[in-house]
Amino acid sequence: GAVVSQHPSWVICKSGTSVKIECRSLDFQATTMFWYRQFPKQSLMLMATSNEGSKATYEQGVEKDKFLINHASLTLSTLTVTSAHPEDSSFYICSAITGASSNQPQHFGDGTRLSIL
Amino acid sequence: GQQVMQIPQYQHVQEGEDFTTYCNSSTTLSNIQWYKQRPGGHPVFLIQLVKSGEVKKQKRLTFQFGEAKKNSSLHITATQTTDVGTYFCAGRNTNAGKSTFGDGTTLTVKP
C-alpha cells in the first residue's frame, strides 16, 4: 500500500519551456504532499508543502512564480517549472503522507529527472 | 532555521563489518524518521522514533533516539551488499509542519 506515482520520470527540453510534473497517490488520499529537489549525491531540499484545496507553502528562497504548485484533489499534486533554464536541471521528487498527523511517514514517488538544454 | 547534520558523508566497509550513521539536530525534535535511498531510486521509509531514549530494531538495523531528542543513530550489524545506499535521517521540529533531511550517509559494501 501507500504507492506514489510520479510522471514523467525524465524530461529533456529546451530553455524557456514550461514543464509540468505530476504526483499521484494511487491507493490512498494524500492531504499533504511535499516537493523536493535533489542534486547529485546531495540531500533532499524541501521546496514546498502542498495541501489539498489550499495554496502551497514555499520554503525560503523558492520562487513561487517559478515553481507553480497545484493540489486540486486528494490524489494529485502538480509542480510546473515555468520558463525553465539550465540551472533548473535537477531531480525533482514528491512525497505524500496519508493523514494530517505529523507522525506519518512520507511515501515518495520515483522522481523526475529534468534536463534543460 | 532548523539544521540537521549527518555524519559521516560516506562509509566504505567490508561485507560483514558493522556500520553506524549519526544524525544531530540544532533543535529539539518531535520525531525523527530514517529513510534509505538506493542508487537511482527514491527514499523508502524505514522507521520513526518518537520517544526520548527510544531504541528500535529491525533485524540487523538498530535505531536510537537520544535522551534530549536532538540526535539519533542507525547501526547496521554485519553489513551485506544489499545494504548499499544512502541513509537519510529526517527530523521534525515540534513547531514546524515539515521535516528537515540530513545530508545522508552513503554506504558502500565491498564483497
Side-chain angles (χ1 to χ4, degrees), chain A residues 36 38 41-44 46 59 93 102-106 108-110, chain B residues 10 31 33 35 37 42-43 45 48 88 92 97-99 101-103:
Chain A
Y36 294 89
Q38 186 176 34
K41 298 185 179 181
Q42 292 190 25
S43 188
L44 297 151
L46 181 65
E59 294 302 300
I93 191 165
S102 63
N103 286 337
Q104 294 293 324
Q106 295 183 49
F108 285 85
D110 286 334
Chain B
Y10 298 98
N31 66 54
Q33 298 173 343
Y35 294 82
Q37 185 175 23
H42 63 267
F45 174 77
Q48 176 172 274
F88 292 99
R92 182 180 294 277
K98 61 182 182 181
S99 292
F101 279 77
D103 289 335

Side-chain angles (χ1 to χ4, degrees), chain B residues 46-88:
Chain B
L46 293 177
I47 208 162
Q48 176 172 274
L49 304 171
V50 180
K51 299 176 182 177
S52 169
E54 189 170 14
V55 177
K56 286 188 176 181
K57 291 191 176 185
Q58 288 180 350
K59 297 183 180 178
R60 293 178 295 104
L61 278 62
T62 302
F63 303 84
Q64 291 187 323
F65 201 8
E67 294 290 341
K69 300 183 72 172
K70 295 180 72 173
N71 56 68
S72 181
S73 66
L74 158 59
H75 179 82
I76 302 178
T77 304
T79 55
Q80 299 175 0
T81 54
T82 53
D83 294 326
V84 298
T86 301
Y87 293 85
F88 292 99

Side-chain angles (χ1 to χ4, degrees), chain A residues 10-31:
Chain A
W10 59 271
V11 59
I12 302 173
C13 58
K14 294 181 179 180
S15 183
T17 306
S18 291
V19 179
K20 180 185 280 190
I21 302 170
E22 293 186 348
C23 182
R24 292 181 185 273
S25 55
L26 297 185
D27 52 359
F28 66 97
Q29 293 185 332
T31 54

Side-chain angles (χ1 to χ4, degrees), chain B residues 2 6 13 52 104:
Chain B
Q2 179 187 8
Q6 201 172 341
V13 300
S52 169

